[in-house]
Amino acid sequence: MKIITYNVNGIRSAMSKNWIDWLRATDADVVCLQEIKATPDVLTDLHLVEQLGYEHYWFPAEKKGYSGTAILTKKTPKHVEYGCGISDYDREGRNIRVDFDEVSVMSAYFPSGSSGDDRQAFKYRFLDEFGRYLELLQSQCPKLVVSGDYNICHRPIDIHNPKSNATSSGFLPEEREWMENFIESGYIDTFRHMNKEPHNYTWWSFRANARAKNLGWRIDYNMATKALEENIKRAAILPEARHSDHCPVLLELAF
């Protein structure tokens, strides 16, 4: 099973940049999208997604043009779960999950705190409450992949300039500690499980030609529960895809 996570920074914008051609060429089984910024009824090219064999499930934010998650899948899930049951996060469309017999896959979009203190406080509350939700979910879905934009770099190797970013949202000590504790609670950072090399990033600022210089952050992850460790076949970042300020991240599982 090929799983891809991709913060598209607006699905309509991505589709205008030949995203459908990329989707066809990539041929993933499950595609987790974040920051869709749209409802499916406004997507005129959705039939092209269906022609590629995908069912699609959408959890947009109540606020127009903001946040939201979705999952495309070539395999019919036995259940689809919209949200986590916490209204502050569900109204922003922060997560959606599909369950199959052998694995469950979630698309999650963690809040950013970079716009100011209020949203950073919201992010910390999300980490606390959503983290508890994910911990409890492990008993219900022992084989679970939580794919998405976590808006957190875990370690100095995951950010291009850790010293100058030490006080930046996304690399704050409390956020990094949360990530450490999350992994300790029973998750595998599948990319790092397979690749220990530096300079592997998934997001670049639009400013200062950051992407061309590879001055990035690794904030997009496919986190798998430890019950899936033996199933991890391949994990890779796909920086050639340029439909967004993020790039996709691949996880291949063998069942």
Side-chain angles (χ1 to χ4, degrees), residues 183-231:
I183 291 169
E184 287 293 317
S185 78
Y187 285 88
I188 298 165
D189 177 348
T190 57
F191 177 77
R192 279 285 169 241
H193 185 69
M194 307 294 280
N195 187 322
K196 306 290 192 285
E197 296 302 311
H199 314 303
N200 284 290
Y201 307 124
T202 66
W203 174 83
W204 302 262
S205 169
F206 282 127
R207 291 174 296 200
N209 211 19
R211 191 157 188 173
K213 298 173 185 171
N214 197 28
L215 304 177
W217 301 41
R218 190 175 73 96
I219 57 176
D220 302 87
Y221 302 83
N222 292 304
M223 294 284 192
T225 52
K226 286 188 176 169
L228 287 166
E229 185 167 4
E230 298 303 314
N231 304 100

mmCIF file of all heavy atoms in Angstrom, residues 183-231:
data_model
loop_
_atom_site.group_PDB
_atom_site.id
_atom_site.type_symbol
_atom_site.label_atom_id
_atom_site.label_comp_id
_atom_site.label_asym_id
_atom_site.label_seq_id
_atom_site.Cartn_x
_atom_site.Cartn_y
_atom_site.Cartn_z
ATOM 1 N N ILE A 183 6.029 10.312 19.902
ATOM 2 C CA ILE A 183 6.727 9.151 19.339
ATOM 3 C C ILE A 183 6.944 8.089 20.421
ATOM 4 O O ILE A 183 6.730 6.896 20.189
ATOM 5 C CB ILE A 183 8.048 9.588 18.675
ATOM 6 C CG1 ILE A 183 7.742 10.410 17.410
ATOM 7 C CG2 ILE A 183 8.927 8.395 18.336
ATOM 8 C CD1 ILE A 183 8.931 11.126 16.807
ATOM 9 N N GLU A 184 7.321 8.543 21.613
ATOM 10 C CA GLU A 184 7.534 7.608 22.730
ATOM 11 C C GLU A 184 6.252 6.853 23.104
ATOM 12 O O GLU A 184 6.303 5.742 23.629
ATOM 13 C CB GLU A 184 8.059 8.363 23.963
ATOM 14 C CG GLU A 184 9.501 8.824 23.845
ATOM 15 C CD GLU A 184 10.484 7.662 23.812
ATOM 16 O OE1 GLU A 184 10.306 6.719 24.603
ATOM 17 O OE2 GLU A 184 11.403 7.682 22.976
ATOM 18 N N SER A 185 5.098 7.454 22.817
ATOM 19 C CA SER A 185 3.818 6.826 23.173
ATOM 20 C C SER A 185 3.472 5.662 22.257
ATOM 21 O O SER A 185 2.453 4.988 22.451
ATOM 22 C CB SER A 185 2.687 7.862 23.158
ATOM 23 O OG SER A 185 2.259 8.144 21.834
ATOM 24 N N GLY A 186 4.313 5.420 21.234
ATOM 25 C CA GLY A 186 4.090 4.238 20.410
ATOM 26 C C GLY A 186 4.035 4.477 18.915
ATOM 27 O O GLY A 186 3.436 3.682 18.182
ATOM 28 N N TYR A 187 4.663 5.559 18.443
ATOM 29 C CA TYR A 187 4.663 5.870 17.006
ATOM 30 C C TYR A 187 6.077 5.847 16.424
ATOM 31 O O TYR A 187 7.054 6.100 17.123
ATOM 32 C CB TYR A 187 4.019 7.236 16.745
ATOM 33 C CG TYR A 187 2.513 7.211 16.870
ATOM 34 C CD1 TYR A 187 1.901 7.421 18.103
ATOM 35 C CD2 TYR A 187 1.694 6.952 15.769
ATOM 36 C CE1 TYR A 187 0.520 7.375 18.237
ATOM 37 C CE2 TYR A 187 0.318 6.915 15.887
ATOM 38 C CZ TYR A 187 -0.261 7.125 17.118
ATOM 39 O OH TYR A 187 -1.634 7.075 17.245
ATOM 40 N N ILE A 188 6.149 5.564 15.135
ATOM 41 C CA ILE A 188 7.414 5.551 14.400
ATOM 42 C C ILE A 188 7.389 6.669 13.371
ATOM 43 O O ILE A 188 6.448 6.772 12.571
ATOM 44 C CB ILE A 188 7.598 4.202 13.667
ATOM 45 C CG1 ILE A 188 7.658 3.048 14.663
ATOM 46 C CG2 ILE A 188 8.851 4.220 12.795
ATOM 47 C CD1 ILE A 188 7.462 1.679 14.013
ATOM 48 N N ASP A 189 8.401 7.522 13.398
ATOM 49 C CA ASP A 189 8.616 8.510 12.340
ATOM 50 C C ASP A 189 9.180 7.731 11.152
ATOM 51 O O ASP A 189 10.367 7.425 11.096
ATOM 52 C CB ASP A 189 9.597 9.573 12.849
ATOM 53 C CG ASP A 189 9.954 10.629 11.823
ATOM 54 O OD1 ASP A 189 9.644 10.456 10.624
ATOM 55 O OD2 ASP A 189 10.563 11.653 12.214
ATOM 56 N N THR A 190 8.315 7.366 10.211
ATOM 57 C CA THR A 190 8.699 6.376 9.198
ATOM 58 C C THR A 190 9.812 6.871 8.286
ATOM 59 O O THR A 190 10.652 6.071 7.848
ATOM 60 C CB THR A 190 7.484 5.925 8.362
ATOM 61 O OG1 THR A 190 6.866 7.075 7.748
ATOM 62 C CG2 THR A 190 6.465 5.208 9.237
ATOM 63 N N PHE A 191 9.860 8.174 8.010
ATOM 64 C CA PHE A 191 10.946 8.674 7.166
ATOM 65 C C PHE A 191 12.288 8.510 7.885
ATOM 66 O O PHE A 191 13.250 7.989 7.319
ATOM 67 C CB PHE A 191 10.734 10.128 6.765
ATOM 68 C CG PHE A 191 11.878 10.678 5.951
ATOM 69 C CD1 PHE A 191 12.018 10.344 4.604
ATOM 70 C CD2 PHE A 191 12.859 11.483 6.534
ATOM 71 C CE1 PHE A 191 13.091 10.809 3.857
ATOM 72 C CE2 PHE A 191 13.934 11.951 5.796
ATOM 73 C CZ PHE A 191 14.048 11.611 4.454
ATOM 74 N N ARG A 192 12.355 8.942 9.138
ATOM 75 C CA ARG A 192 13.602 8.818 9.895
ATOM 76 C C ARG A 192 13.943 7.363 10.192
ATOM 77 O O ARG A 192 15.103 7.016 10.380
ATOM 78 C CB ARG A 192 13.523 9.624 11.192
ATOM 79 C CG ARG A 192 13.800 11.093 11.009
ATOM 80 C CD ARG A 192 15.274 11.380 10.798
ATOM 81 N NE ARG A 192 15.488 12.754 10.375
ATOM 82 C CZ ARG A 192 16.037 13.111 9.229
ATOM 83 N NH1 ARG A 192 16.441 12.209 8.353
ATOM 84 N NH2 ARG A 192 16.208 14.381 8.930
ATOM 85 N N HIS A 193 12.967 6.506 10.227
ATOM 86 C CA HIS A 193 13.187 5.067 10.408
ATOM 87 C C HIS A 193 14.042 4.514 9.262
ATOM 88 O O HIS A 193 14.848 3.605 9.462
ATOM 89 C CB HIS A 193 11.826 4.365 10.451
ATOM 90 C CG HIS A 193 11.873 2.907 10.751
ATOM 91 N ND1 HIS A 193 12.237 2.396 11.980
ATOM 92 C CD2 HIS A 193 11.598 1.816 9.976
ATOM 93 C CE1 HIS A 193 12.180 1.077 11.952
ATOM 94 N NE2 HIS A 193 11.816 0.692 10.743
ATOM 95 N N MET A 194 13.877 5.114 8.078
ATOM 96 C CA MET A 194 14.568 4.636 6.878
ATOM 97 C C MET A 194 15.727 5.540 6.442
ATOM 98 O O MET A 194 16.587 5.107 5.682
ATOM 99 C CB MET A 194 13.580 4.528 5.702
ATOM 100 C CG MET A 194 12.333 3.709 5.991
ATOM 101 S SD MET A 194 12.670 1.962 6.279
ATOM 102 C CE MET A 194 12.861 1.372 4.594
ATOM 103 N N ASN A 195 15.725 6.782 6.876
ATOM 104 C CA ASN A 195 16.685 7.763 6.366
ATOM 105 C C ASN A 195 17.162 8.681 7.488
ATOM 106 O O ASN A 195 16.374 9.453 8.043
ATOM 107 C CB ASN A 195 16.020 8.588 5.251
ATOM 108 C CG ASN A 195 16.992 9.519 4.539
ATOM 109 O OD1 ASN A 195 17.871 10.110 5.152
ATOM 110 N ND2 ASN A 195 16.820 9.659 3.238
ATOM 111 N N LYS A 196 18.447 8.604 7.795
ATOM 112 C CA LYS A 196 19.020 9.412 8.891
ATOM 113 C C LYS A 196 19.782 10.637 8.361
ATOM 114 O O LYS A 196 20.463 11.319 9.119
ATOM 115 C CB LYS A 196 19.973 8.553 9.731
ATOM 116 C CG LYS A 196 19.366 7.260 10.274
ATOM 117 C CD LYS A 196 18.337 7.522 11.356
ATOM 118 C CE LYS A 196 17.948 6.242 12.105
ATOM 119 N NZ LYS A 196 17.065 5.346 11.364
ATOM 120 N N GLU A 197 19.688 10.901 7.064
ATOM 121 C CA GLU A 197 20.489 11.960 6.447
ATOM 122 C C GLU A 197 19.894 13.347 6.694
ATOM 123 O O GLU A 197 18.677 13.510 6.741
ATOM 124 C CB GLU A 197 20.597 11.723 4.934
ATOM 125 C CG GLU A 197 21.328 10.450 4.550
ATOM 126 C CD GLU A 197 22.740 10.404 5.090
ATOM 127 O OE1 GLU A 197 23.463 11.399 4.917
ATOM 128 O OE2 GLU A 197 23.124 9.380 5.682
ATOM 129 N N PRO A 198 20.763 14.388 6.790
ATOM 130 C CA PRO A 198 20.268 15.761 6.935
ATOM 131 C C PRO A 198 19.792 16.329 5.593
ATOM 132 O O PRO A 198 19.871 15.665 4.555
ATOM 133 C CB PRO A 198 21.502 16.517 7.435
ATOM 134 C CG PRO A 198 22.658 15.756 6.857
ATOM 135 C CD PRO A 198 22.227 14.311 6.838
ATOM 136 N N HIS A 199 19.305 17.562 5.644
ATOM 137 C CA HIS A 199 18.893 18.331 4.456
ATOM 138 C C HIS A 199 17.696 17.711 3.737
ATOM 139 O O HIS A 199 17.537 17.880 2.535
ATOM 140 C CB HIS A 199 20.058 18.521 3.477
ATOM 141 C CG HIS A 199 21.338 18.944 4.126
ATOM 142 N ND1 HIS A 199 21.436 20.083 4.898
ATOM 143 C CD2 HIS A 199 22.567 18.351 4.156
ATOM 144 C CE1 HIS A 199 22.667 20.196 5.357
ATOM 145 N NE2 HIS A 199 23.371 19.154 4.930
ATOM 146 N N ASN A 200 16.867 17.005 4.474
ATOM 147 C CA ASN A 200 15.622 16.462 3.920
ATOM 148 C C ASN A 200 14.453 17.236 4.507
ATOM 149 O O ASN A 200 14.136 17.088 5.692
ATOM 150 C CB ASN A 200 15.496 14.972 4.255
ATOM 151 C CG ASN A 200 16.398 14.110 3.394
ATOM 152 O OD1 ASN A 200 16.160 13.968 2.204
ATOM 153 N ND2 ASN A 200 17.431 13.546 3.995
ATOM 154 N N TYR A 201 13.820 18.049 3.684
ATOM 155 C CA TYR A 201 12.767 18.942 4.156
ATOM 156 C C TYR A 201 11.479 18.752 3.361
ATOM 157 O O TYR A 201 11.501 18.183 2.261
ATOM 158 C CB TYR A 201 13.232 20.397 4.043
ATOM 159 C CG TYR A 201 14.570 20.659 4.708
ATOM 160 C CD1 TYR A 201 15.631 21.214 3.995
ATOM 161 C CD2 TYR A 201 14.781 20.338 6.051
ATOM 162 C CE1 TYR A 201 16.864 21.446 4.593
ATOM 163 C CE2 TYR A 201 16.017 20.558 6.663
ATOM 164 C CZ TYR A 201 17.054 21.113 5.927
ATOM 165 O OH TYR A 201 18.274 21.334 6.517
ATOM 166 N N THR A 202 10.370 19.249 3.928
ATOM 167 C CA THR A 202 9.063 19.111 3.257
ATOM 168 C C THR A 202 8.342 20.438 3.075
ATOM 169 O O THR A 202 7.286 20.479 2.441
ATOM 170 C CB THR A 202 8.141 18.170 4.057
ATOM 171 O OG1 THR A 202 7.827 18.782 5.333
ATOM 172 C CG2 THR A 202 8.797 16.813 4.291
ATOM 173 N N TRP A 203 8.884 21.503 3.645
ATOM 174 C CA TRP A 203 8.274 22.839 3.502
ATOM 175 C C TRP A 203 9.371 23.889 3.384
ATOM 176 O O TRP A 203 10.393 23.808 4.072
ATOM 177 C CB TRP A 203 7.380 23.181 4.700
ATOM 178 C CG TRP A 203 6.856 24.588 4.639
ATOM 179 C CD1 TRP A 203 5.772 25.027 3.935
ATOM 180 C CD2 TRP A 203 7.405 25.757 5.280
ATOM 181 N NE1 TRP A 203 5.605 26.382 4.081
ATOM 182 C CE2 TRP A 203 6.609 26.858 4.907
ATOM 183 C CE3 TRP A 203 8.505 25.976 6.113
ATOM 184 C CZ2 TRP A 203 6.860 28.156 5.349
ATOM 185 C CZ3 TRP A 203 8.763 27.267 6.553
ATOM 186 C CH2 TRP A 203 7.938 28.334 6.176
ATOM 187 N N TRP A 204 9.126 24.850 2.492
ATOM 188 C CA TRP A 204 10.050 25.958 2.295
ATOM 189 C C TRP A 204 9.257 27.265 2.224
ATOM 190 O O TRP A 204 8.198 27.312 1.593
ATOM 191 C CB TRP A 204 10.829 25.795 0.974
ATOM 192 C CG TRP A 204 11.610 24.531 0.869
ATOM 193 C CD1 TRP A 204 12.943 24.356 1.112
ATOM 194 C CD2 TRP A 204 11.113 23.231 0.492
ATOM 195 N NE1 TRP A 204 13.300 23.051 0.909
ATOM 196 C CE2 TRP A 204 12.204 22.330 0.525
ATOM 197 C CE3 TRP A 204 9.856 22.748 0.119
ATOM 198 C CZ2 TRP A 204 12.070 20.982 0.216
ATOM 199 C CZ3 TRP A 204 9.720 21.408 -0.181
ATOM 200 C CH2 TRP A 204 10.821 20.548 -0.142
ATOM 201 N N SER A 205 9.786 28.287 2.838
ATOM 202 C CA SER A 205 9.157 29.607 2.742
ATOM 203 C C SER A 205 9.169 30.071 1.285
ATOM 204 O O SER A 205 10.075 29.744 0.516
ATOM 205 C CB SER A 205 9.931 30.605 3.604
ATOM 206 O OG SER A 205 9.502 31.916 3.329
ATOM 207 N N PHE A 206 8.140 30.843 0.924
ATOM 208 C CA PHE A 206 8.115 31.440 -0.418
ATOM 209 C C PHE A 206 9.152 32.566 -0.538
ATOM 210 O O PHE A 206 9.450 33.031 -1.629
ATOM 211 C CB PHE A 206 6.723 32.003 -0.737
ATOM 212 C CG PHE A 206 5.724 30.951 -1.129
ATOM 213 C CD1 PHE A 206 4.496 30.857 -0.472
ATOM 214 C CD2 PHE A 206 5.986 30.050 -2.155
ATOM 215 C CE1 PHE A 206 3.559 29.907 -0.842
ATOM 216 C CE2 PHE A 206 5.054 29.085 -2.526
ATOM 217 C CZ PHE A 206 3.841 29.015 -1.870
ATOM 218 N N ARG A 207 9.676 33.002 0.601
ATOM 219 C CA ARG A 207 10.600 34.139 0.611
ATOM 220 C C ARG A 207 12.051 33.706 0.391
ATOM 221 O O ARG A 207 12.410 32.560 0.655
ATOM 222 C CB ARG A 207 10.495 34.893 1.943
ATOM 223 C CG ARG A 207 9.168 35.624 2.132
ATOM 224 C CD ARG A 207 9.057 36.237 3.511
ATOM 225 N NE ARG A 207 9.048 35.209 4.559
ATOM 226 C CZ ARG A 207 8.588 35.412 5.783
ATOM 227 N NH1 ARG A 207 8.136 36.584 6.140
ATOM 228 N NH2 ARG A 207 8.609 34.444 6.676
ATOM 229 N N ALA A 208 12.848 34.637 -0.073
ATOM 230 C CA ALA A 208 14.313 34.507 -0.138
ATOM 231 C C ALA A 208 14.792 33.303 -0.950
ATOM 232 O O ALA A 208 15.858 32.751 -0.684
ATOM 233 C CB ALA A 208 14.910 34.460 1.275
ATOM 234 N N ASN A 209 13.955 32.886 -1.930
ATOM 235 C CA ASN A 209 14.370 31.774 -2.797
ATOM 236 C C ASN A 209 14.718 30.525 -1.987
ATOM 237 O O ASN A 209 15.649 29.776 -2.327
ATOM 238 C CB ASN A 209 15.564 32.221 -3.657
ATOM 239 C CG ASN A 209 15.601 31.529 -5.003
ATOM 240 O OD1 ASN A 209 14.593 30.996 -5.461
ATOM 241 N ND2 ASN A 209 16.754 31.526 -5.637
ATOM 242 N N ALA A 210 13.969 30.304 -0.901
ATOM 243 C CA ALA A 210 14.317 29.260 0.069
ATOM 244 C C ALA A 210 14.313 27.863 -0.533
ATOM 245 O O ALA A 210 15.172 27.036 -0.212
ATOM 246 C CB ALA A 210 13.354 29.326 1.255
ATOM 247 N N ARG A 211 13.373 27.598 -1.431
ATOM 248 C CA ARG A 211 13.291 26.222 -1.963
ATOM 249 C C ARG A 211 14.473 25.916 -2.879
ATOM 250 O O ARG A 211 15.045 24.817 -2.810
ATOM 251 C CB ARG A 211 11.968 26.014 -2.701
ATOM 252 C CG ARG A 211 11.714 24.550 -3.041
ATOM 253 C CD ARG A 211 10.259 24.239 -3.242
ATOM 254 N NE ARG A 211 9.991 22.829 -3.394
ATOM 255 C CZ ARG A 211 8.775 22.292 -3.442
ATOM 256 N NH1 ARG A 211 7.723 23.079 -3.356
ATOM 257 N NH2 ARG A 211 8.616 20.996 -3.583
ATOM 258 N N ALA A 212 14.838 26.871 -3.707
ATOM 259 C CA ALA A 212 15.984 26.661 -4.605
ATOM 260 C C ALA A 212 17.266 26.432 -3.807
ATOM 261 O O ALA A 212 18.147 25.667 -4.217
ATOM 262 C CB ALA A 212 16.140 27.855 -5.539
ATOM 263 N N LYS A 213 17.364 27.076 -2.643
ATOM 264 C CA LYS A 213 18.546 26.918 -1.782
ATOM 265 C C LYS A 213 18.390 25.757 -0.794
ATOM 266 O O LYS A 213 19.297 25.489 0.000
ATOM 267 C CB LYS A 213 18.779 28.212 -0.994
ATOM 268 C CG LYS A 213 19.060 29.435 -1.867
ATOM 269 C CD LYS A 213 19.105 30.689 -0.992
ATOM 270 C CE LYS A 213 19.254 31.950 -1.820
ATOM 271 N NZ LYS A 213 19.081 33.171 -0.980
ATOM 272 N N ASN A 214 17.231 25.104 -0.819
ATOM 273 C CA ASN A 214 16.891 24.029 0.117
ATOM 274 C C ASN A 214 17.031 24.468 1.577
ATOM 275 O O ASN A 214 17.586 23.760 2.418
ATOM 276 C CB ASN A 214 17.706 22.759 -0.138
ATOM 277 C CG ASN A 214 17.080 21.538 0.542
ATOM 278 O OD1 ASN A 214 15.867 21.482 0.739
ATOM 279 N ND2 ASN A 214 17.902 20.572 0.916
ATOM 280 N N LEU A 215 16.490 25.645 1.868
ATOM 281 C CA LEU A 215 16.452 26.148 3.245
ATOM 282 C C LEU A 215 15.065 25.822 3.794
ATOM 283 O O LEU A 215 14.155 26.659 3.765
ATOM 284 C CB LEU A 215 16.722 27.654 3.278
ATOM 285 C CG LEU A 215 18.030 28.105 2.619
ATOM 286 C CD1 LEU A 215 18.163 29.623 2.651
ATOM 287 C CD2 LEU A 215 19.235 27.450 3.306
ATOM 288 N N GLY A 216 14.882 24.592 4.260
ATOM 289 C CA GLY A 216 13.541 24.115 4.570
ATOM 290 C C GLY A 216 13.351 23.617 5.981
ATOM 291 O O GLY A 216 14.240 23.677 6.833
ATOM 292 N N TRP A 217 12.145 23.118 6.194
ATOM 293 C CA TRP A 217 11.734 22.512 7.455
ATOM 294 C C TRP A 217 11.096 21.162 7.129
ATOM 295 O O TRP A 217 10.364 21.046 6.139
ATOM 296 C CB TRP A 217 10.680 23.354 8.163
ATOM 297 C CG TRP A 217 11.016 24.769 8.526
ATOM 298 C CD1 TRP A 217 11.706 25.684 7.778
ATOM 299 C CD2 TRP A 217 10.644 25.436 9.733
ATOM 300 N NE1 TRP A 217 11.784 26.876 8.447
ATOM 301 C CE2 TRP A 217 11.132 26.758 9.651
ATOM 302 C CE3 TRP A 217 9.928 25.046 10.867
ATOM 303 C CZ2 TRP A 217 10.939 27.682 10.665
ATOM 304 C CZ3 TRP A 217 9.726 25.968 11.880
ATOM 305 C CH2 TRP A 217 10.244 27.283 11.774
ATOM 306 N N ARG A 218 11.311 20.156 7.952
ATOM 307 C CA ARG A 218 10.604 18.878 7.790
ATOM 308 C C ARG A 218 9.470 18.848 8.809
ATOM 309 O O ARG A 218 9.673 18.553 9.984
ATOM 310 C CB ARG A 218 11.555 17.683 7.990
ATOM 311 C CG ARG A 218 10.902 16.338 7.590
ATOM 312 C CD ARG A 218 11.897 15.181 7.673
ATOM 313 N NE ARG A 218 12.186 14.817 9.043
ATOM 314 C CZ ARG A 218 11.585 13.840 9.726
ATOM 315 N NH1 ARG A 218 10.634 13.118 9.160
ATOM 316 N NH2 ARG A 218 11.951 13.574 10.969
ATOM 317 N N ILE A 219 8.281 19.175 8.333
ATOM 318 C CA ILE A 219 7.118 19.273 9.228
ATOM 319 C C ILE A 219 5.970 18.342 8.809
ATOM 320 O O ILE A 219 4.942 18.295 9.478
ATOM 321 C CB ILE A 219 6.599 20.727 9.343
ATOM 322 C CG1 ILE A 219 6.244 21.306 7.982
ATOM 323 C CG2 ILE A 219 7.623 21.599 10.068
ATOM 324 C CD1 ILE A 219 5.632 22.720 8.047
ATOM 325 N N ASP A 220 6.156 17.612 7.704
ATOM 326 C CA ASP A 220 5.125 16.689 7.218
ATOM 327 C C ASP A 220 5.601 15.251 7.447
ATOM 328 O O ASP A 220 6.742 14.914 7.107
ATOM 329 C CB ASP A 220 4.867 16.930 5.733
ATOM 330 C CG ASP A 220 4.445 18.366 5.453
ATOM 331 O OD1 ASP A 220 5.333 19.229 5.268
ATOM 332 O OD2 ASP A 220 3.232 18.625 5.441
ATOM 333 N N TYR A 221 4.731 14.429 8.016
ATOM 334 C CA TYR A 221 5.138 13.109 8.482
ATOM 335 C C TYR A 221 4.088 12.046 8.143
ATOM 336 O O TYR A 221 2.893 12.345 8.063
ATOM 337 C CB TYR A 221 5.277 13.096 10.016
ATOM 338 C CG TYR A 221 6.249 14.082 10.609
ATOM 339 C CD1 TYR A 221 5.882 15.409 10.845
ATOM 340 C CD2 TYR A 221 7.536 13.685 10.984
ATOM 341 C CE1 TYR A 221 6.773 16.315 11.417
ATOM 342 C CE2 TYR A 221 8.431 14.585 11.566
ATOM 343 C CZ TYR A 221 8.044 15.901 11.778
ATOM 344 O OH TYR A 221 8.906 16.784 12.355
ATOM 345 N N ASN A 222 4.559 10.815 7.990
ATOM 346 C CA ASN A 222 3.707 9.626 8.055
ATOM 347 C C ASN A 222 4.129 8.873 9.313
ATOM 348 O O ASN A 222 5.125 8.152 9.305
ATOM 349 C CB ASN A 222 3.893 8.745 6.821
ATOM 350 C CG ASN A 222 3.374 9.390 5.551
ATOM 351 O OD1 ASN A 222 2.210 9.768 5.464
ATOM 352 N ND2 ASN A 222 4.235 9.529 4.549
ATOM 353 N N MET A 223 3.407 9.095 10.392
ATOM 354 C CA MET A 223 3.713 8.433 11.665
ATOM 355 C C MET A 223 2.909 7.138 11.760
ATOM 356 O O MET A 223 1.683 7.148 11.608
ATOM 357 C CB MET A 223 3.342 9.340 12.840
ATOM 358 C CG MET A 223 4.184 10.605 12.933
ATOM 359 S SD MET A 223 5.833 10.258 13.600
ATOM 360 C CE MET A 223 6.379 11.942 13.924
ATOM 361 N N ALA A 224 3.589 6.035 12.004
ATOM 362 C CA ALA A 224 2.929 4.728 12.082
ATOM 363 C C ALA A 224 3.058 4.148 13.482
ATOM 364 O O ALA A 224 4.099 4.294 14.132
ATOM 365 C CB ALA A 224 3.548 3.768 11.068
ATOM 366 N N THR A 225 2.012 3.486 13.926
ATOM 367 C CA THR A 225 2.097 2.812 15.221
ATOM 368 C C THR A 225 3.127 1.679 15.135
ATOM 369 O O THR A 225 3.385 1.130 14.060
ATOM 370 C CB THR A 225 0.731 2.237 15.653
ATOM 371 O OG1 THR A 225 0.215 1.437 14.589
ATOM 372 C CG2 THR A 225 -0.253 3.346 15.989
ATOM 373 N N LYS A 226 3.671 1.336 16.283
ATOM 374 C CA LYS A 226 4.741 0.327 16.311
ATOM 375 C C LYS A 226 4.271 -1.047 15.815
ATOM 376 O O LYS A 226 5.089 -1.855 15.381
ATOM 377 C CB LYS A 226 5.326 0.233 17.721
ATOM 378 C CG LYS A 226 6.212 1.429 18.048
ATOM 379 C CD LYS A 226 6.951 1.291 19.348
ATOM 380 C CE LYS A 226 7.886 2.481 19.538
ATOM 381 N NZ LYS A 226 8.445 2.542 20.907
ATOM 382 N N ALA A 227 2.975 -1.263 15.861
ATOM 383 C CA ALA A 227 2.430 -2.530 15.351
ATOM 384 C C ALA A 227 2.659 -2.685 13.848
ATOM 385 O O ALA A 227 2.565 -3.784 13.310
ATOM 386 C CB ALA A 227 0.933 -2.611 15.662
ATOM 387 N N LEU A 228 2.984 -1.576 13.164
ATOM 388 C CA LEU A 228 3.220 -1.605 11.714
ATOM 389 C C LEU A 228 4.711 -1.653 11.351
ATOM 390 O O LEU A 228 5.052 -1.623 10.172
ATOM 391 C CB LEU A 228 2.575 -0.368 11.051
ATOM 392 C CG LEU A 228 1.047 -0.373 10.961
ATOM 393 C CD1 LEU A 228 0.536 1.031 10.626
ATOM 394 C CD2 LEU A 228 0.560 -1.380 9.923
ATOM 395 N N GLU A 229 5.574 -1.720 12.342
ATOM 396 C CA GLU A 229 7.012 -1.623 12.073
ATOM 397 C C GLU A 229 7.494 -2.636 11.037
ATOM 398 O O GLU A 229 8.270 -2.301 10.128
ATOM 399 C CB GLU A 229 7.810 -1.790 13.372
ATOM 400 C CG GLU A 229 9.299 -1.576 13.175
ATOM 401 C CD GLU A 229 10.066 -1.437 14.491
ATOM 402 O OE1 GLU A 229 9.453 -1.573 15.565
ATOM 403 O OE2 GLU A 229 11.281 -1.178 14.411
ATOM 404 N N GLU A 230 7.020 -3.859 11.139
ATOM 405 C CA GLU A 230 7.457 -4.910 10.208
ATOM 406 C C GLU A 230 6.901 -4.705 8.796
ATOM 407 O O GLU A 230 7.378 -5.321 7.837
ATOM 408 C CB GLU A 230 7.036 -6.292 10.729
ATOM 409 C CG GLU A 230 7.656 -6.670 12.064
ATOM 410 C CD GLU A 230 9.179 -6.647 12.040
ATOM 411 O OE1 GLU A 230 9.761 -7.179 11.079
ATOM 412 O OE2 GLU A 230 9.784 -6.066 12.966
ATOM 413 N N ASN A 231 5.875 -3.847 8.682
ATOM 414 C CA ASN A 231 5.236 -3.620 7.378
ATOM 415 C C ASN A 231 5.857 -2.467 6.595
ATOM 416 O O ASN A 231 5.548 -2.272 5.413
ATOM 417 C CB ASN A 231 3.744 -3.337 7.563
ATOM 418 C CG ASN A 231 3.034 -4.434 8.332
ATOM 419 O OD1 ASN A 231 2.789 -4.311 9.537
ATOM 420 N ND2 ASN A 231 2.720 -5.526 7.658
#
